[in-house]
Amino acid sequence: MGSATTICSDKTGTLTTGKMTVVKVWSGGDSRPDIPGTLSSLAPELQKLLAEAMVVNTSFKSDVEWDQATAQVVKYAGNDTECAMLLLANRLLLSQGSLDKDPYRAIRAQFPLEDPERVNISFSSDRKRMSTLVRKPDG
């Protein structure tokens, strides 16, 4: 490098490892750096609904695989933010007793992209969010 006027660094690991992780969760007016503590304060049904919402609102192009024994990510493809959400959803679903290796995949199968009742509302800078509407099996 000949010269530099600005050097940007990233403490989240995104630049060094190419992987983003969720490090803080805000839910129900409670925000702590202890993600398991914050999430465990929610009712189990709400934890499951939160995990389902994270999975349904990610692109099917984003995909993660991880080794449960070592808790290490094996494959990380697609949008970094979405992959971090999928990993958090997996953690939530596994803590709920899911027997699937990658429980988020079961949710994706339950709410397929081809479902004619599925509605996607693209991200809008005015709304500052994107949305996906799906019909839950129980109504």
Side-chain angles (χ1 to χ4, degrees), residues 4-120:
T5 56
T6 305
I7 297 176
C8 299
S9 64
D10 179 6
K11 294 184 177 187
T12 64
T14 307
L15 292 179
T16 54
T17 64
K19 296 175 179 74
M20 190 178 285
T21 56
V22 176
V23 295
K24 192 173 186 181
V25 173
W26 182 86
S27 66
D30 188 20
S31 175
R32 295 180 267 171
D34 170 31
I35 292 173
T38 301
L39 295 174
S40 66
S41 68
L42 302 174
E45 300 81 23
L46 187 54
Q47 290 181 38
K48 185 172 188 281
L49 185 62
L50 179 62
E52 288 175 346
M54 284 190 276
V55 173
V56 167
N57 281 289
T58 58
S59 166
F60 278 49
K61 294 177 186 174
S62 296
D63 188 39
V64 293
E65 289 180 17
W66 65 304
D67 182 346
Q68 281 182 285
T70 64
Q72 297 296 313
V73 176
V74 177
K75 178 183 172 188
Y76 202 91
N79 180 287
D80 290 331
T81 302
E82 290 185 357
C83 287
M85 301 288 279
L86 292 173
L87 287 171
L88 180 57
N90 258 4
R91 283 177 55 188
L92 268 172
L93 294 164
L94 289 168
S95 73
Q96 295 271 310
S98 174
L99 301 177
D100 291 319
K101 178 184 172 216
D102 291 311
Y104 82 87
R105 292 173 197 252
I107 293 172
R108 281 189 168 168
Q110 187 178 3
F111 301 105
L113 283 175
E114 305 80 31
D115 185 344
E117 292 186 342
R118 182 182 179 119
V119 178
N120 293 312

